[in-house]
Amino acid sequence: MPHRFYGWTKYLGERSYNSALELQRQLVRYRLNGSVRDTFLYLTHPDIITVGRDDDEAMYQNSGQVEVVKISRGGNVTYHGPGQLVIYPIIDLRRRGRDLRLFIRNLEEGVIRALAHYDLKCNRHPDHIGV
């Protein structure tokens, strides 16, 4: 039987990274106490580079024209910009076996299938998260 999503989705338009991060933190608190359902936030950001805990400054050269924000997530460097749709899931993984890797692989599979519907071919990279 296919999984069904009984949560919320919200398109926020363009929003600054810090504003979106604060909203995510608030929604995580609400999700943990059961005040909201699983939620997917869809939005875009102005030009920004986020740098995770595995920061490797050699991965990016910044002329000062793009905001750089150091954040607490794992990983390295990610660029976000206008026109790039970003999706932030606020999900209670306790209901999904607490398997983050499986959850991410399922998200990737959903993207691959959705794009195939439009005859756009994509795939996973074995060493990196994403499509």
Side-chain angles (χ1 to χ4, degrees):
M1 173 184 274
H3 293 283
R4 295 181 188 262
F5 177 71
Y6 295 107
W8 297 342
T9 61
K10 179 70 175 166
Y11 178 70
L12 302 174
E14 186 174 288
R15 186 172 278 220
S16 75
Y17 182 83
N18 288 328
S19 170
L21 183 58
E22 182 53 38
L23 177 58
Q24 289 174 73
R25 288 177 176 153
Q26 183 178 21
L27 286 171
V28 166
R29 288 190 300 271
Y30 292 157
R31 184 67 193 107
L32 287 172
N33 73 23
S35 299
V36 299
R37 294 177 173 198
D38 289 344
T39 302
F40 282 82
L41 301 176
Y42 298 83
L43 56 110
T44 63
H45 292 300
D47 288 324
I48 190 165
I49 295 171
T50 58
V51 180
R53 290 187 306 259
D54 300 333
D55 180 6
D56 178 358
E57 290 189 31
M59 293 278 298
Y60 63 97
Q61 302 270 331
N62 189 23
S63 64
Q65 295 178 336
V66 176
E67 181 181 6
V68 176
V69 176
K70 293 200 178 204
I71 56 176
S72 62
R73 69 154 165 76
N76 206 316
V77 176
T78 303
Y79 167 78
H80 298 294
Q84 176 193 33
L85 182 64
V86 180
I87 303 170
Y88 293 114
I90 311 297
I91 304 294
D92 183 352
L93 286 179
R94 294 175 295 191
R95 298 178 54 223
R96 291 174 172 77
R98 295 181 185 257
D99 190 336
L100 180 60
R101 290 183 191 273
L102 177 61
F103 179 74
I104 294 205
R105 289 297 181 202
N106 287 339
L107 287 177
E108 292 169 340
E109 184 64 26
V111 169
I112 290 168
R113 289 180 184 196
L115 292 175
H117 179 75
Y118 296 99
D119 294 323
L120 298 171
K121 294 181 182 181
C122 61
N123 56 31
R124 294 179 182 96
H125 187 285
D127 299 328
H128 304 286
I129 292 173
V131 175

